[in-house]
Structures are given as structure tokens and as C-alpha cells.
């Protein structure tokens, strides 16, 4: 199908990953109906495409029923749903488990069912590495999360249950992203990703703070590669151009220790302060790296190295500071 005939619903379009996805879909010639309640998303994230003629924005909560029907009134040829709207803060989910379940599980299941009933072509859900709990052995395969897995938060639990429902239905795909980083990721909350926090501190000449000994490792994947993963999962790119079904890990397979990351960021930002070592964060996973061979077999090939990805992020963060 030509991209100019494709119409996509992107929930969470003002968020970090959702805004990059919406921008990329529009650049390909797709029409995009974006939905966000702006609880944690920001209008500034949509600045690059808000005025695009093929973009329609609804400020709306994803829990409000009738979203697919509403999107079809704007664009009757709606074909693809990318569902990224969610309660994104893990600590918030611990304090507000019911609200988290309502948004991350119930609303996701309803939207998925509506997409299926409407006969849409593809449904792509933002799963999470948080679905794996603490005990998975690395590199982590998709089968490492099962009914007995104890997730560390309602956030992880809700994402797991939604992914499982989607996989069992045979329609749609859940992408379990590992540690995603890049421009537009917030650096202002204490729960922001380590890369944005390090970059921000590095640029301000403040010491980087390392929780524990810094030997813990993560699989950092650039948002641009993640967006390519979403297109592939929806059948918009890839060898067969068929939407995928099931659950797929999205990572790079490379593990980087927090100490290594701190060194890279310090060098890149020219920050010569010694890092500050603080006590370990409660519940911190020691090692997390994706086995993404299942997604690779479907055509996924992340191509941005951490060094290059950090350089892109640095340019962006500098630009924000003016
Ligand atoms: C990530 C997700 C989280 C999810 C978890 C499960 C983010 C922001 N968080 O947590 O939602 O539940 O995966 O897979 O993507 N660190 C420091 N100094 C800092 C900040 C962090 O040393 O200033 C360390 C942390 O202790 C941790 C590592 O860096 O060991 C990564 O932290 P973070 O970016 O918060 O991600 P995860 O803990 O992997």
C-alpha cells in the first residue's frame, strides 16, 4: 500500500517515543491522528509536525471510549493503530495501581478489541522490558516473562497482561523496548532515564550521580531505531511488509555499564568532575540486556551506536539550552 493511502492513529503522540513516531509517519506521507491527554506528554514535543496538513490532534484521554470510531470519523480509511499512551512513571504506578491498571491494561485491551472489530490492518502496542521482573537471566528472551513472573510494579504488571492479551488474540504486536533514549526524553524528573539525567548534569558541569557501584548494565537503544521497529512491526517496512503478531524485544543486544556510560557522557560533555557514588536504588535490576533475535529475524536491525546516539542527544540538549 502506498504510504499516502495509510492513515494511522498514534496514542501518546505528545510523548517521547510517540512524537518521534508521528513525525516519522508524516514524513513518509501517512496521515496521522494523534491523541494525547498531555498528562505527561508536551505540546512542545509536537512542534515539528503540529501544523502538518496530514496531522490531526485530539487532546483526549485514552480511557474515554469510542476512540477508533472517533478517529474514523476524521479519517474513514484508518488502517494502523500505534498505542503508546500510558501511565509512564513506575513510581506513580506504585502509588496509583488502580489508575495504572485502568490506563495501561483496560484501555489498551479496549482499544485493541476496537481495532480488531473494525478490521484494521495493524495494531502495535508499547510493551516494556519492565514486564520481565527481576529474575530473568540475560540476555533476556521474550519467553522469560510468563504467568508466574512477578513484575516489580503495577506498571510492569499492566504492560505484561496487555501484551499477553494481544499475543493470545493473534492480532497485533507488543514491542518490549529496553532502555530507550534520545531527544525529547525528559531530563527534569528524578525518575528520568539515566542518559538524559547524565547528559543534563554533564552539560551543567555538575557531578554525575551513580547509584551503587555502577557495575549494573543496561541495553540502551536509540529512539530512532525504536521508531524503525514500530514501522517494521506494523508492516510498513521490512522484507514482507506484513504486520507482525506476538511479542518482540526491542534492544541492541549490547550491554553498557553505568560506569562506562558515565565516562562516555563526561567525555562528550567535557565534564571533568568526579562522579558521585550514592547508595543503590531500591529494586534496581543488576543486568538487563535484550536478546532481540526474534525481532532481528523479522528484519529489525538497530544501527545507531551509543556514541553516535549520545552525540545526537547532546546537540539537541545544547539547542534546548539556547
Ligand atoms: C527502566 C525504566 C523503568 C522500567 C525498568 C524495567 C526508564 C527511565 N526506566 O528502568 O521504567 O521499570 O527499566 O526494565 O527507562 N542510575 C544512576 N544514576 C542516575 C540515574 C540512574 O546510576 O542518576 C542507574 C540506575 O540505578 C539504574 C540505571 O542507571 O541502574 C538505569 O536507570 P534508569 O534509566 O532509571 O532505567 P532502569 O532502572 O533500567
Amino acid at each position: 500500500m502506498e504510504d499516502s493511502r495509510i492513515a494511522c492513529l498514534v496514542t501518546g503522540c505528545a510523548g517521547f517515543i510517540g512524537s518521534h513516531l508521528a513525525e516519522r509517519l508524516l514524513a513518509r506521507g501517512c496521515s496521522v491522528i494523534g491523541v494525547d491527554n498531555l498528562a505527561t506528554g508536551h505540546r512542545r514535543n509536537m512542534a515539528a509536525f503540529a501544523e502538518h496538513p496530514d496531522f490531526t490532534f485530539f487532546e483526549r484521554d485514552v480511557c474515554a471510549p469510542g476512540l477508533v470510531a472517533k478517529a474514523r470519523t476524521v479519517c474513514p480509511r484508518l488502517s494502523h493503530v500505534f498505542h503508546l499512551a500510558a501511565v509512564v512513571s513506575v513510581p506513580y504506578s506504585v502509588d496509583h495501581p488502580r489508575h495504572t491498571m485502568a490506563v495501561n491494561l483496560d484501555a489498551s485491551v479496549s482499544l485493541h478489541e476496537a481495532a480488531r472489530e473494525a478490521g484494521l490492518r495493524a495494531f502495535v502496542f508499547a510493551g516494556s522490558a519492565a514486564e520481565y521482573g527481576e529474575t530473568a537471566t540475560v540476555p533476556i528472551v521474550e519467553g522469560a516473562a510468563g504467568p508466574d513472573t512477578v513484575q516489580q510494579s503495577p506498571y510492569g504488571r499492566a504492560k505484561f497482561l496487555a501484551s499477553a492479551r494481544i499475543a493470545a488474540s493473534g492480532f497485533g504486536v507488543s514491542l518490549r523496548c529496553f532502555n530507550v533514549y534520545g531527544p525529547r526524553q525528559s531530563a527534569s524528573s528524578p525518575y528520568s532515564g539515566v542518559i538524559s539525567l547524565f547528559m543534563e548534569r554533564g552539560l551543567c558541569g555538575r557531578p554525575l550521580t551513580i547509584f551503587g557501584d555502577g557495575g549494573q548494565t543496561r541495553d540502551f537503544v536509540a529512539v530512532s531505531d525504536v521508531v524503525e521497529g514500530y514501522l517494521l512491526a506494523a508492516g510498513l517496512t521490512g522484507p514482507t511488509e506484513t504486520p507482525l503478531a506476538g511479542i518482540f524485544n526491542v534492544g541492541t543486544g549490547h550491554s553498557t555499564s553505568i560506569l562506562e556510560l558515565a565516562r562516555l557522557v563526561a567525555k562528550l560533555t567535557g565534564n571533568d568532575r568526579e562522579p558521585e557514588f550514592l547508595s543503590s536504588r531500591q529494586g534496581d535490576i543488576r543486568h538487563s540486556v535484550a536478546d532481540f533475535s526474534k525481532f532481528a529475524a523479522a528484519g529489525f536491525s538497530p544501527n545507531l551506536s551509543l556514541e553516535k546516539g549520545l552525540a545526537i542527544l547532546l546537540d539537541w540538549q545544547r539547542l534546548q539550552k539556547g
Side-chain angles (χ1 to χ4, degrees):
M1 212 195 308
E2 258 182 58
D3 280 359
S4 60
R5 298 289 313 146
I6 292 172
C8 307
L9 174 65
V10 177
T11 72
C13 66
F16 163 44
I17 302 175
S19 64
H20 284 282
L21 176 62
E23 193 175 356
R24 178 84 174 89
L25 290 166
L26 289 163
R28 286 177 60 97
C30 303
S31 298
V32 174
I33 299 151
V35 173
D36 205 298
N37 66 358
L38 301 177
T40 52
H42 301 281
R43 280 188 192 276
R44 64 172 181 267
N45 287 344
M46 302 191 288
F49 57 87
E51 302 304 326
H52 194 292
D54 297 328
F55 180 65
T56 308
F57 178 61
F58 291 125
E59 184 177 337
R60 181 181 161 113
D61 197 293
V62 79
C63 294
L67 187 50
V68 166
K70 166 101 179 158
R72 287 177 109 192
T73 61
V74 176
C75 200
R77 62 190 158 79
L78 178 72
S79 49
H80 292 65
V81 176
F82 296 91
H83 178 41
L84 293 88
V87 164
V88 291
S89 163
V90 171
Y92 176 92
S93 83
V94 173
D95 293 341
H96 303 89
R98 284 174 61 173
H99 182 226
T100 303
M101 285 293 164
V103 179
N104 292 8
L105 176 60
D106 303 343
S108 300
V109 167
S110 301
L111 188 61
H112 173 254
E113 272 169 12
R116 192 157 66 139
E117 276 164 20
L120 303 192
R121 185 161 165 76
F123 184 90
V124 187
F125 173 67
S128 167
E131 295 175 41
Y132 290 115
E134 255 183 314
T135 51
T137 45
V138 291
I140 301 173
V141 294
E142 287 82 356
D148 299 332
T149 303
V150 179
Q151 286 81 20
Q152 289 149 296
S153 62
Y155 171 85
R157 186 73 189 151
K159 289 280 182 181
F160 169 75
L161 293 172
S163 295
R165 283 285 290 265
I166 291 164
S169 77
F171 168 67
V173 54
S174 168
L175 297 182
R176 286 186 181 150
C177 292
F178 279 63
N179 290 65
V180 188
Y181 71 96
R184 299 185 194 146
Q185 190 170 38
S186 162
S188 57
S189 132
Y191 307 112
S192 297
V194 64
I195 290 190
S196 334
L197 289 174
F198 275 10
M199 218 49 136
E200 179 68 16
R201 286 181 157 261
L203 281 174
C204 297
R206 294 162 70 200
L208 308 186
T209 50
I210 296 180
F211 300 135
D213 63 4
Q216 65 271 43
T217 56
R218 293 294 184 271
D219 184 340
F220 295 108
V221 57
V223 67
S224 54
D225 282 329
V226 168
V227 164
E228 291 311 310
Y230 272 86
L231 300 186
L232 174 70
L236 296 178
T237 60
T240 64
E241 299 204 352
T242 306
L244 302 180
I247 297 174
F248 294 83
N249 281 342
V250 185
T252 66
H254 291 292
S255 76
T256 305
S257 74
I258 299 308
L259 266 182
E260 257 173 274
L261 177 71
R263 270 188 225 113
L264 278 171
V265 172
K267 195 169 147 204
L268 211 60
T269 55
N271 181 316
D272 55 10
R273 306 279 301 269
E274 281 300 309
E276 233 171 61
F277 286 85
L278 305 175
S279 48
S280 293
R281 211 165 57 175
Q282 209 192 346
D284 220 7
I285 296 170
R286 185 70 180 164
H287 298 297
S288 169
V289 61
D291 178 331
F292 71 103
S293 47
K294 187 178 169 195
F295 205 25
F300 181 65
S301 152
N303 60 30
L304 203 61
S305 67
L306 183 58
E307 286 79 359
K308 280 198 190 134
L310 289 177
I312 291 170
L313 179 58
L314 178 68
D315 285 347
W316 180 81
Q317 271 182 265
R318 278 202 174 121
L319 210 65
Q320 302 311 297
K321 292 189 178 300

